[in-house]
Amino acid sequence: MDTNEMMEHAEYAYEMDGERNVTDGVVTAVRDATDMTMTEMTPLHERIDVDALNELFSDSYSGTPRSDGRIRFTYCGCEVVVFSSGRVLVKPDEN
């Protein structure tokens, strides 16, 4: 499924606020979409490089927000797409 299809079929959309980092937003979005508890979830740092993920969406060297970009990966049985806008889309596995 390409990202546009994912945007149309995502079962859960989460908008991050400026107070949270990207990794916190991903964990919250997946937890809410799956009703898993934190103890049931694999720690995100065991699946991806969380420092790299946070850095990818941090402000640029000049201090301006990054305006376009996205990353897509699987986490806790869900397809996750994170956008530089702060939106996280989650589509749980259908199995």
Side-chain angles (χ1 to χ4, degrees):
M1 179 178 299
D2 70 14
T3 303
N4 289 333
E5 283 182 295
M6 171 71 178
M7 290 172 56
E8 292 174 13
H9 296 94
E11 294 183 21
Y12 185 81
Y14 177 78
E15 302 292 335
M16 287 184 285
D17 59 31
E19 301 297 314
R20 294 188 148 181
N21 63 31
V22 177
T23 55
D24 290 341
V26 168
V27 171
T28 300
V30 171
R31 183 194 66 213
D32 291 351
T34 62
D35 292 326
M36 295 174 81
T37 65
M38 293 299 290
T39 57
E40 295 172 315
M41 297 174 72
T42 302
L44 185 58
H45 71 270
E46 290 183 10
R47 303 292 299 152
I48 63 170
D49 183 334
V50 293
D51 292 332
L53 180 63
N54 286 326
E55 186 66 27
L56 183 64
F57 292 106
S58 67
D59 290 346
S60 68
Y61 180 72
S62 66
T64 58
R66 298 186 194 274
S67 60
D68 62 357
R70 65 179 178 248
I71 189 166
R72 183 175 171 175
F73 55 93
T74 344
Y75 174 56
C76 288
C78 298
E79 189 172 352
V80 178
V81 181
V82 181
F83 295 87
S84 59
S85 65
R87 186 168 218 206
V88 179
L89 300 180
V90 179
K91 183 175 185 305
D93 187 9
E94 296 173 4
N95 293 328

